[in-house]
Amino acid sequence: MRQFWGRTVGRTVVEKILSEHSGREVCAGEFTVAAVDLILAQDGTAPLAIDVFNQLGVGKLAIPGKSAFFIDHASPPPRRELANDHAKIRKFVSEHSAVIFDIGDGVCHQVMTEKCTSPGDILIGADSHTVTGGAVGAFAVGMGSTDVAVGLAYGKNWFRVPETFKILLKGMFSKAVFPKDLILHLIGLIKADGANYKCLEFTGESLRHMSIPDRMTVANMSVEAGAKCGIFPSDERTKMFLTELGREDKFRRIEADKDAEYEETIEIDLSTLRPMVSLPHRVDRVLPVDAPELKEIEINQIFIGSCTNGRIEDLRIASSIIKGKRKHENVRLIVIPASRLTFKQAMDEGILEIFNEFGASINNPGCGPCCGVHQGIPSDGENVLSTSNRNFKGRMGNPEAFVYLSSPATAAASAITGRITDPREGM
Amino acid sequence: MKPTGRVWKFGDSISTDLICPGRYYHLRSNLNELAKHVLEDARSEFAGCVKKGDFIVAGANFGLGSSREHAAIIIKMAGISVVLAKSCARIFYRNAYNIGLPVILCDTVKINDRDELRIEMESGEIKNCTTGETLHFSPIPQIMADILKEGGLVSYLKKYGDIKI
Ligand code: SF4
């Protein structure tokens, strides 16, 4: 609780976390300097962050054991220049006793959430999808290399406390509708800049049915609506998740006060949602999968993976749809488990075998073709259906290609038919 | 500070993928080479013809997408003195100030390609020398003005030794 103009006002989740880390009460709109608990950088942003860190001349890392470097974007490196960037990161990590996750360990946001991020933490990351950490009730925010270098050097940075939109979820998903469809629907509703600078706080009765992996997909794409963070309260599901990963000691309950102030409230009934598809080259151009405009779209390449939808839950759903079916001859299917743990689970559960039989190409954990560096750049004029989070022109390495986004279920159903297909038909 | 220069007009939703394409990922540690491709997929003639002091004037949500600071850096390297946009994505906005590239948020509808502008940062005025119109913009947050004054966050920290809020 805080006093405001003589009355007591409740706090949002993000106000609580930023207050704790600022050593004073702060509320939306205020500027503050706050300590950070965790820092991440990846192979596309770390080399610059290292240069800036060196320019700052501080010499050592403020929180070396909590400064994590990931080699996941161009992993293993397809070019000499990138191999040299990787070598630079490894050298820095070893000289400064930082933490490294190297090729095959997985996408930074997946690994970070499995192993490091805890409720109430502040995580800053030199990657826009750092927001994924909001799934476990952390204030996780993407920044550039310079801001992250400041975190590395000083263990803190400045923040403006964001205003919060309350996203009130009720009801349950119907068959073949998933959290990816929810977040695509929300982005279509408020548009790519609809939450610019704001915090999206997800709440409501539906959270009881939403696992942490479900929440990660939603938090991950909050940045696609422009949000600074997408945050869930930390509750029983969070406790279950941390317990399964042997991190139950990190659990603490965090939720907004009942009388917290929100800039806006958006209510969504999950039971009314349909499978959604985002059309090139804008994430907020969304249509339901059965829209007539999508009927004739032939797909050349399908990617199931990424920090949005490369988790074991996603691979289970997709494999259950394709099991015993034949891949369409005109489609190339690329499957990439998001982390080493996901890879092992998929192997142990026979999921990789199903994908292999189906004719998929299974790559090592990492970002894969998501950001256009390697492992599946489409050719001119091709259509790609991807479970990742962005379809900007050129995103997958070719500005003449067209990227559609969907859930893993829609992607799997489409791999059978070779065109965008409603997953409700086969489930 | 009174930058003067010509306008390069862009539309809405110029992503960091358009500013700094992923297919040049391997050039991120070679900024001089990377800068040759700045905004190539949005306006192919930009990198070759832009002059020192010119302005980028864009529509809504400039710089959306990835956190790659390289996007702001290569815009600055190209010679752009100020980015004006109707609105700007959060990470790009912060990155730009951190490297000493001002981003002004204002109604850009009435500014045309190749117009000549003069911007008065202190008073918040944009004079369009081509059309004769004057536009106004609101002051930026103090911390960002302080960072910009020092030419970026690194110089700011070297001067003050800490972040002053
Ligand atoms: S999977 Fe894609 S969106 Fe996620 S971190 Fe990697 S490149 Fe970025």
Side-chain angles (χ1 to χ4, degrees):
Chain A
M1 294 291 163
R2 62 192 156 89
Q3 295 292 318
F4 191 62
W5 300 88
R7 63 195 177 94
T8 310
V9 183
R11 294 176 304 169
T12 62
V13 174
V14 76
E15 285 173 328
K16 286 188 178 183
I17 297 175
L18 273 165
S19 293
E20 276 181 17
H21 289 74
S22 300
R24 66 188 178 100
E25 289 289 308
V26 292
C27 63
E30 263 184 78
F31 287 78
T32 185
V33 174
V36 301
D37 302 292
L38 293 165
I39 304 170
L40 82 81
Q42 34 89 344
D43 49 338
T45 56
L48 181 57
I50 290 170
D51 291 346
V52 176
F53 174 84
N54 289 334
Q55 285 166 27
L56 287 170
V58 171
K60 58 185 185 49
L61 297 177
I63 46 171
K66 303 280 186 169
S67 303
F69 290 79
F70 290 83
I71 293 178
D72 55 354
H73 279 59
S75 168
R79 300 183 66 118
R80 176 185 179 182
E81 297 90 331
L82 295 163
N84 289 337
D85 280 348
H86 294 177
K88 175 177 177 171
I89 296 169
R90 291 188 192 104
K91 183 161 175 274
F92 182 84
V93 164
S94 103
E95 283 170 3
H96 290 83
S97 309
V99 181
I100 190 160
F101 296 95
D102 215 315
I103 61 167
D105 287 336
V107 185
C108 48
H109 311 303
Q110 178 65 21
V111 176
M112 210 65 193
T113 316
E114 284 171 5
K115 294 185 190 287
C116 311
T117 318
S118 305
D121 279 351
I122 292 185
L123 159 63
I124 62 169
D127 189 283
S128 59
H129 293 103
T130 301
V131 290
T132 312
V136 295
F139 172 54
V141 59
M143 292 181 158
S145 295
T146 295
D147 269 322
V148 160
V150 168
L152 290 170
Y154 297 90
K156 61 183 180 182
N157 208 328
W158 68 271
F159 300 88
R160 181 182 174 279
V161 187
E163 294 81 10
T164 298
F165 286 3
K166 179 181 191 170
I167 313 296
L168 191 61
L169 305 176
K170 58 178 208 180
M172 281 167 78
F173 289 113
S174 11
K175 204 174 90 180
V177 181
F178 297 93
K180 179 63 159 285
D181 302 305
L182 160 63
I183 190 66
L184 288 179
H185 167 79
L186 178 63
I187 295 163
L189 199 68
I190 66 177
K191 299 298 172 200
D193 58 355
N196 261 9
Y197 202 77
K198 309 297 176 190
C199 165
L200 297 181
E201 188 184 301
F202 296 88
T203 176
E205 59 180 42
S206 311
L207 294 200
R208 271 185 292 137
H209 312 291
M210 284 180 80
S211 68
I212 300 308
D214 287 345
R215 298 177 188 188
M216 285 170 77
T217 301
V218 174
N220 176 274
M221 286 193 76
S222 58
V223 68
E224 259 48 76
K228 177 170 186 170
C229 60
I231 202 163
F232 284 80
S234 159
D235 57 15
E236 283 309 305
R237 300 298 298 239
T238 321
K239 191 174 180 180
M240 273 167 63
F241 175 79
L242 291 170
T243 305
E244 274 168 29
L245 292 161
R247 299 207 287 128
E248 56 273 33
D249 58 314
K250 297 290 183 210
F251 175 71
R252 52 179 283 222
R253 199 172 290 279
I254 301 179
E255 57 182 4
D257 292 327
K258 293 245 167 340
D259 53 349
E261 288 196 341
Y262 295 94
E263 187 165 306
E264 220 177 284
T265 298
I266 298 169
E267 215 179 289
I268 300 176
D269 181 351
L270 303 187
S271 65
T272 63
L273 297 178
R274 289 177 286 174
M276 301 299 284
V277 174
S278 163
L279 280 64
H281 303 286
R282 291 181 63 128
V283 183
D284 59 6
R285 270 186 82 201
V286 297
L287 283 175
V289 68
D290 50 4
E293 296 93 315
L294 296 175
K295 273 270 172 306
E296 301 305 322
I297 310 269
E298 285 183 11
I299 298 295
N300 308 98
Q301 177 169 299
I302 294 179
F303 169 42
I304 300 179
S306 86
C307 56
T308 316
N309 279 126
R311 283 174 273 285
I312 189 64
E313 295 75 11
D314 302 313
L315 302 184
R316 280 183 194 134
I317 290 159
S319 66
S320 73
I321 292 171
I322 59 157
K323 192 174 181 183
K325 305 264 176 29
R326 283 172 66 113
K327 180 177 72 65
H328 193 277
E329 56 184 6
N330 294 344
V331 172
R332 309 180 297 275
L333 174 62
I334 298 166
V335 176
I336 303 188
S339 72
R340 195 177 285 285
L341 175 64
T342 308
F343 193 92
K344 179 178 163 33
Q345 288 170 318
M347 201 156 53
D348 292 349
E349 294 178 24
I351 288 171
L352 296 187
E353 200 179 329
I354 296 170
F355 279 120
N356 191 49
E357 298 266 299
F358 185 70
S361 162
I362 302 165
N363 291 5
N364 59 288
C367 298
C370 175
C371 63
V373 193
H374 66 348
Q375 293 181 347
I377 293 162
S379 67
D380 293 359
E382 280 195 328
N383 292 327
V384 178
L385 182 59
S386 173
T387 67
S388 58
N389 44 39
R390 283 192 178 136
N391 56 359
F392 304 144
K393 190 175 183 191
R395 171 74 184 177
M396 277 198 170
N398 186 346
E400 303 300 330
F402 302 88
V403 183
Y404 294 77
L405 305 173
S406 77
S407 75
T410 302
S414 306
I416 301 166
T417 57
R419 51 181 178 80
I420 294 177
T421 298
D422 190 337
R424 292 170 297 188
E425 286 168 17
M427 279 181 94
Chain B
M1 196 165 126
K2 286 186 190 175
T4 316
R6 281 205 181 275
V7 167
W8 290 81
K9 187 86 190 262
F10 291 85
D12 294 340
S13 309
I14 299 294
S15 71
T16 53
D17 279 290
L18 286 176
I19 302 168
C20 177
R23 65 181 179 282
Y24 302 119
Y25 206 88
H26 59 286
L27 296 177
R28 288 192 185 180
S29 291
N30 185 354
L31 291 169
N32 287 325
E33 276 306 307
L34 189 63
K36 291 181 184 163
H37 302 285
V38 60
L39 282 157
E40 172 177 289
D41 293 335
R43 274 184 84 164
S44 54
E45 76 282 17
F46 177 78
C49 303
V50 61
K51 295 221 164 49
K52 195 165 163 44
D54 282 357
F55 304 108
I56 283 176
V57 176
N61 216 11
F62 187 81
L64 78 156
S66 133
S67 71
R68 62 191 79 157
E69 194 169 301
H70 312 76
I73 293 174
I74 61 177
I75 285 177
K76 192 177 176 205
M77 284 175 74
I80 291 294
S81 56
V82 182
V83 175
L84 296 91
K86 207 166 152 214
S87 62
C88 180
R90 190 198 129 255
I91 305 180
F92 183 90
Y93 188 65
R94 195 163 161 146
N95 283 349
Y97 279 88
N98 280 346
I99 61 144
L101 172 70
V103 178
I104 291 173
L105 305 181
C106 61
D107 184 6
T108 53
V109 173
K110 287 188 188 154
I111 307 176
N112 306 306
D113 198 41
R114 304 200 54 77
D115 279 0
E116 198 177 310
L117 306 182
R118 196 170 79 233
I119 300 182
E120 313 230 2
M121 290 302 286
E122 284 78 19
S123 62
E125 251 182 32
I126 303 162
K127 290 222 164 74
N128 191 328
C129 311
T130 310
T131 63
E133 274 188 84
T134 302
L135 287 164
H136 297 272
F137 58 94
S138 334
I140 51 171
Q142 192 58 46
I143 172 78
M144 302 187 85
D146 294 345
I147 292 169
L148 187 65
K149 197 163 150 241
E150 300 309 323
L153 188 53
V154 172
S155 329
Y156 170 96
L157 281 166
K158 289 206 149 177
K159 179 163 174 183
Y160 296 105
D162 203 355
I163 306 161
K164 305 248 182 277
I165 291 282

